[in-house]
Every structure is written in C-alpha cells, then in structure tokens.
C-alpha cells in the first residue's frame, strides 16, 4: 500500500464524536460507565491507525462505522469483564497450580456469605470480651486431627518455611541433605529461602545418598536445626538412600537440636488404603518425632491457600511471636475456609466425599467411564460432523507437586479436530466463555472428565457443539 492510500485509509477512520453519537454506543452507555466506553473507543482507533500504518488493513469496509462499532462493543465487553474468572478444568490435573489448585467444598462456600459480609470474632475473645488471637480458630481442630502440641497458620507453605527458618536459625546453621535441595514451581527453592531467612545452609551427603553420619558429622555449636524436605515433585530412583525421619529425629534429640520437615503437600488421609502410592500423612510425620512440620493448605488437603505449621509448643510460640508473622499472616476469609475444610476431616469418610480434591483423586475408573460416555452423548456429534468425538484411556495427575509419578487411570473424551489443527481447537475452547482448558496430545484435544464438575458437563458439551457448528 502506498503512502497516499494510507492517508486515505487514515482519514476514513470514524471520529470519536461520530462513534459517541451512534445508537449502538448510546445503548452501551446504559450498562457501562462512560469512561470505559471512551477508553475502548480510543484503544480501537489507536489499533486501527497502527494496523493501517503497517499495511495490515486492505479492505476499506473494515473502517466502516458499523465494523468499528462492533470492535468497540467487543472491546467494551472485554474491558468490563473481571480479570479473575472461573474456568473449566478439563486437564485432569486435580490440584492445578495455574488454575487455582484446590477447589473448595460446598460447605465451605456456604459459610462465606454469612461471614464475609459481616463482622466476626476474628481477633476477639467472646468469653472475655477483649482482644483474642486469630489462630485459635484453627489451632484446636488442627491439634485434634493430628495430635500436634501446637499449631499456627500463615499465608502459604513458602511463608511457613521462611518464618520457621528465620525464627529458629537466623544467623546460625541448618543441615540439609543435598538430595533435598528442591525447587517447587514458581521460584520456591530451598537454598534461596534459606538465604532469605538469614540462615546458613550446610549441605550434606550427595545427590543420591545421604547417611545419618553425614548429618552427625556436620553438627557444630552453630547448628540450629536439622531440616528434611519432602521431595514432593520428583523421585530419585536406583542407588539411593535417604535418612528416615525417625532416625533424624533421634539424632536431633541426642544433640538437643530441633528437626523440621517441609512436607509440601500435607495429607490427613492415608491414600495407601485406596491403592495410591505412599505419601506420608501429617499424623505419621509427627509420630515419627518431627519437632516441626509445615505443609500447604491447598494441595492434597483440599482447602484454601495457606501454610500450616504444627509441632512443639515452644517452637510454634516462638514463630508466632516473630515480627515477620505480621507480614505473612493469614486473612480472615482464608481462615474461615481452612477451619471449615478441617472440620470435614473429623469424619474421614465425609472428607473424601465432600472435599473436591480428595473426591476427584479417588474417583473410581468405572465412574469416570460413565461420566465420559455421558459427556460424549451430550456433545452428540455423529457421523460426518466437523469434529470427531471418541473415548480413550489415559491418565490424570494429582498436581500441585504432589505424587509426581502417580498416574491415575482415567477416561478421556478425545476430539479429532477435522479441518482445524488440534492447537486451534484447543485455543477455541480456551477462548470460550467460560474458558475450557484442555490438553493436546497426538494431534488431538483431550478432555479429562475427572476434573470437570457435574454442573459443567452441559457447558462443555455446548461449547464443543458450537465450535463444531462454526467449522462448517
Ligand atoms: C508446594 C511446596 C512448597 C510451597 O508451598 P506453597 O503453599 O505453594 O507456598 C514448599 N515446599 C514443598 C516441599 C512443596 O511441595
């Protein structure tokens, strides 16, 4: 396109006043603030100018007022939409960190309305009529469920590890196995957290083997803590040795040193009983003699984002008194969600049924098959449709860095993209409202019904139907 054509195109762009005077905009102004509409108009006009200058517009019809108004309306809707939105998780990764990890139980959600819209006894002792502690709302139940001496909670497990190290080992040394210097997604790395806490990390052993004597030989007057980190998101196999927690705890007792385990994904229910691989429960870790254990609220526990600290009373109280706690403290809505989730654990059978993370992990294959078949029927695309729909076997993941090698057998609804590519089909699902997040494998789009909630099944089916219709 020549310079002259560009000038003609630029002059053809409708002016702001003309757009504002249109019926379409008047209509939008009834439901949207004027400032938002103006912002959308300016953005759309700016985009058009830029595209003309780079030769991206060839059809002058794209500059007709009707075409521009359509763009403005789309932009207004885009700007007005909340940024944080619900999505449908069809990935089969249960505690998907990018999709908000655990979803909360119905009973937890029910309590939000009454508490969030009013005042509460968050830090108020109703019996004494004076200032109380926010931690009492979960400390009792945590102690009851785990037999821990004391408990407290902070913003997340990263914060729990940081504040524990800062309190117990700042300016001193922490001994940790080289095989446990883990990185969890999103920049949580043991050596970095250690540095931030002001503690000096003393690495012992090798990548694959660490013996009890490696710890013992590193103990000096400067030693403040023996740390064990649960290698939750990977496994070292082959010629390996890790010191069992019970032995480390015994060593700690002999030298008068506290032993802490960063458990990562704390679980209260023995998943072994359901044929799932070994993940130590919080109760076991405490029974093996850990003085302190920290874990997340939103991984296998299935609650809100939180960091839970359990253990010896003197240590927990020292952590509670740390100034840093003011910056890492847990918010009241989180506390509410955590308390209500924990209350469900009083009856493990109820916990498994009511806590979505556990329920999804333990969903039997037969049920998943039925669910997948029913989704396929609801999609209802037969022979000759633009998309092929079939069922196939696959596996789901726990996610959140828990049980990394565990493949949970599942049933997938597979979409053969026909004339589209699998990538563009995945993108179309993602661009829907609500977005459907699926995975692409072997040139097909796979929907794992394990993480699709019952109420979402029709929406997924309708979304796929609409995309297939649009492909004709
Ligand atoms: C997940 C994890 C963390 C971080 O927990 P967040 O709750 O995400 O802050 C720390 N340590 C281990 C071993 C973990 O698995």
């Amino acid at each position: 396109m020549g310079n002259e054509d560009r000038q003609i195109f630029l002059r053809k762009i409708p002016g702001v006043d003309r757009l504002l005077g249109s019926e379409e905009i008047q209509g939008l102004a009834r439901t949207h603030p004027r400032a938002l509409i103006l912002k959308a108009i300016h953005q759309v006009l700016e985009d058009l100018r830029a595209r003309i200058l780079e030769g991206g517009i060839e059809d002058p019809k794209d500059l007709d007022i009707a075409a521009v108004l359509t763009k403005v309306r789309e932009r207004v809707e885009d700007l007005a939409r909340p940024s944080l939105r619900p999505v449908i998780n069809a990935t089969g990764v249960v505690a998907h960190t990018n999709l908000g990890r655990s979803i909360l139980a119905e009973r937890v959600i029910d309590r939000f309305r009454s508490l969030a819209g009013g005042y509460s006894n968050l830090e108020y002792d109703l019996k004494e009529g004076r200032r109380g502690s926010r931690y009492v709302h979960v400390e009792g139940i945590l102690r009851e469920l785990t037999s821990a001496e004391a408990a407290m909670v902070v913003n997340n497990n990263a914060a729990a590890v940081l504040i524990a190290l800062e309190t117990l080992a700042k300016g001193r040394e922490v001994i940790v196995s080289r095989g446990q210097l883990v990185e969890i997604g999103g920049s949580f790395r043991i050596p970095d957290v250690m540095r931030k806490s002001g503690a000096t990390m003393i690495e012992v052993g090798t990548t694959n083997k660490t013996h009890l004597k490696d710890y013992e030989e590193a103990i000096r007057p400067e030693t403040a803590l023996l740390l064990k980190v649960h290698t939750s998101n990977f496994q070292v196999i082959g010629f390996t040795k890790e010191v069992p927690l019970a032995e480390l705890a015994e060593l700690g007792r002999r030298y008068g040193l506290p032993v802490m385990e960063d458990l990562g994904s704390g679980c209260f229910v023995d998943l072994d009983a359901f044929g799932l691989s070994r993940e130590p429960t919080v109760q076991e870790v405490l029974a093996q003699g850990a003085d302190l254990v920290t874990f997340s609220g939103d991984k296998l526990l299935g609650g809100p984002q939180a960091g839970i600290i359990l253990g010896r009373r003197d240590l927990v109280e020292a952590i509670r008194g740390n100034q840093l706690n003011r910056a890492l403290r847990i918010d009241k809505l989180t506390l509410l969600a955590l308390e209500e989730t924990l209350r469900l654990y009083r009856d493990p059978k109820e916990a498994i049924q009511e806590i979505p993370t556990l329920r999804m992990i333990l969903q039997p294959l037969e049920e998943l098959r039925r669910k997948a078949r029913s989704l396929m029927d609801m999609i209802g695309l037969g022979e000759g449709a633009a998309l092929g729909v079939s069922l196939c076997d696959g596996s789901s993941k726990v996610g959140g860095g828990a049980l990394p090698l565990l493949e949970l057998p599942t049933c997938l609804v597979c979409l053969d993209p026909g004339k589209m590519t699998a990538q563009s089909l995945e993108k179309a699902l993602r661009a829907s409202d609500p977005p459907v997040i699926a995975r692409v494998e072997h040139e097909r789009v796979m929907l794992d019904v394990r993480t699709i909630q019952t109420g979402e099944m029709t929406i997924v089916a309708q979304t796929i139907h609409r995309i297939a219709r649009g492909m004709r």
Side-chain angles (χ1 to χ4, degrees):
M1 191 193 285
N3 199 24
E4 245 168 71
D5 292 335
R6 281 192 193 136
Q7 292 307 322
I8 293 170
F9 270 38
L10 285 174
R11 275 197 297 274
K12 195 171 177 330
I13 296 178
V16 176
D17 289 339
R18 206 169 140 221
L19 292 167
L20 278 176
S22 70
E23 233 168 75
E24 172 103 21
I25 297 288
Q26 308 279 320
L28 276 175
R30 276 194 284 277
T31 44
H32 295 284
R34 191 181 149 82
L36 191 85
I37 295 173
L38 274 172
K39 185 171 174 180
I41 290 176
H42 285 301
Q43 283 184 3
V44 166
L45 297 186
E46 202 44 55
D47 283 359
L48 285 173
R49 273 185 216 110
R51 281 186 57 209
I52 290 170
L53 291 175
E54 60 195 34
I57 292 185
E58 289 175 354
D59 189 351
K61 275 211 185 66
D62 290 349
L63 302 172
D64 283 352
I65 184 149
V68 176
L69 282 170
T70 302
K71 280 199 188 318
V72 171
R73 182 168 40 75
E74 283 168 5
R75 185 65 61 104
V76 166
E77 280 162 10
D78 219 34
L79 290 173
R81 195 185 290 146
S83 170
L84 188 58
R85 290 197 288 152
V87 306
I88 294 176
N89 177 4
T91 65
V93 181
V94 177
H96 197 306
T97 298
N98 301 147
L99 303 184
R101 286 216 185 134
S102 283
I103 60 179
L104 299 174
E106 278 301 320
R107 204 195 288 175
V108 175
I109 297 159
D110 288 345
R111 280 202 58 205
F112 267 95
R113 177 148 277 284
S114 63
L115 202 106
Y119 295 104
S120 63
N121 62 337
L122 178 67
E123 284 188 351
Y124 188 73
D125 185 329
L126 289 171
K127 270 205 198 95
E128 304 292 331
R130 59 162 188 245
R131 192 192 163 141
S133 153
R134 66 178 60 212
Y135 306 107
V136 301
H137 306 297
V138 288
E139 181 168 27
I141 182 108
L142 278 168
R143 289 177 53 205
E144 174 191 321
L145 294 172
T146 64
S147 311
E149 228 176 81
M152 75 163 287
V153 285
V154 287
N155 180 55
N156 58 11
N157 187 35
V161 175
L162 176 70
I163 195 170
L165 292 175
E166 219 264 354
T167 311
L168 306 177
K170 186 176 179 176
R172 298 174 66 202
E173 294 178 354
V174 177
I175 304 177
V176 61
S177 159
R178 286 204 169 84
Q180 297 170 359
L181 301 181
V182 305
E183 169 173 325
I184 314 294
S187 76
F188 178 89
R189 299 170 126 196
I190 291 293
D192 297 344
V193 176
M194 196 79 76
R195 202 170 311 116
K196 281 274 180 236
S197 76
T200 304
M201 185 170 74
I202 304 296
E203 305 168 35
V204 295
T206 60
T207 308
N208 56 330
K209 282 203 175 201
T210 304
H211 305 274
L212 191 65
K213 70 170 182 357
D214 295 328
Y215 287 95
E216 185 161 12
E217 282 166 13
I219 293 175
R220 313 195 298 158
E222 291 79 6
T223 309
L225 182 74
L226 306 180
L227 175 67
K228 184 170 158 75
V229 182
H230 187 53
T231 51
S232 49
N233 59 357
F234 71 103
Q235 243 173 41
V236 185
I237 53 169
F239 189 59
T240 66
K241 166 146 176 77
E242 233 186 35
V243 175
L245 177 64
E247 286 177 31
L248 201 60
E250 202 277 323
L251 180 71
R253 268 195 301 280
R254 227 172 336 121
Y255 285 87
L257 290 171
V259 174
M260 166 171 145
E261 171 147 11
D262 170 13
L263 193 52
S265 180
C267 189
F268 288 168
V269 176
D270 185 2
L271 294 177
D272 219 17
F274 299 92
L276 298 184
S277 65
R278 213 55 277 240
E279 183 84 348
T281 63
V282 172
Q283 297 91 316
E284 281 166 355
V285 171
L286 286 166
Q288 282 162 18
D291 296 296
L292 217 51
V293 47
T294 74
F295 53 97
S296 298
D298 54 355
K299 291 183 179 173
L300 277 176
L301 200 69
Q305 176 190 305
I308 299 168
I309 305 172
L310 303 177
R312 249 167 59 189
R313 177 154 299 281
D314 59 329
L315 303 180
V316 172
E317 265 166 17
I319 293 170
R320 208 178 285 177
N322 188 331
Q323 279 294 313
L324 198 53
N325 188 24
R326 184 62 182 76
L328 305 178
R329 81 178 182 189
I330 193 163
D331 148 77
K332 71 173 178 224
L333 293 179
T334 313
L335 204 50
L336 161 79
L338 186 61
E339 183 193 9
E340 203 56 36
T341 305
L342 291 171
R343 275 152 50 93
L344 287 167
Y345 277 99
R346 280 197 169 129
D347 178 357
K349 271 207 210 72
E350 190 172 41
I352 287 162
Q353 281 162 14
E354 302 288 326
I355 296 173
T357 296
L358 289 179
R359 188 174 61 219
M360 285 187 267
I361 290 170
L362 299 174
Q363 219 167 8
L365 183 56
E366 259 326 294
E367 214 171 278
L368 292 164
R369 286 227 167 87
R370 265 200 304 278
K371 207 169 151 188
R373 226 172 289 131
S374 127
L375 179 58
M376 190 166 90
D377 290 345
M378 278 195 257
I379 297 170
L381 292 174
E383 292 285 312
L387 288 176
V389 189
S390 59
L391 299 183
C392 57
D393 289 335
S395 60
S396 327
K397 289 266 182 208
V398 169
L403 303 168
L405 300 187
L406 185 63
E407 312 242 311
L408 303 163
T410 192
C411 188
L412 305 167
V413 173
C414 306
L415 304 178
D416 215 309
K419 275 187 246 155
M420 277 177 135
T421 62
Q423 278 71 23
S424 54
L425 177 56
E426 182 274 333
K427 197 174 163 197
L429 286 165
R430 185 155 39 87
S432 306
D433 192 19
V436 177
I437 313 297
R439 47 179 152 138
V440 173
E441 270 170 34
H442 311 298
E443 303 299 309
R444 291 189 301 177
V445 174
M446 312 289 207
L447 305 169
D448 190 335
V449 289
R450 185 186 297 273
T451 46
I452 302 177
Q453 308 305 302
T454 313
E456 296 169 346
M457 295 276 280
T458 21
I459 304 173
V460 174
Q462 283 163 357
T463 304
I464 293 166
H465 217 231
R466 193 168 32 75
I467 293 171
R469 245 196 343 263
M471 280 167 69
R472 299 242 169 160

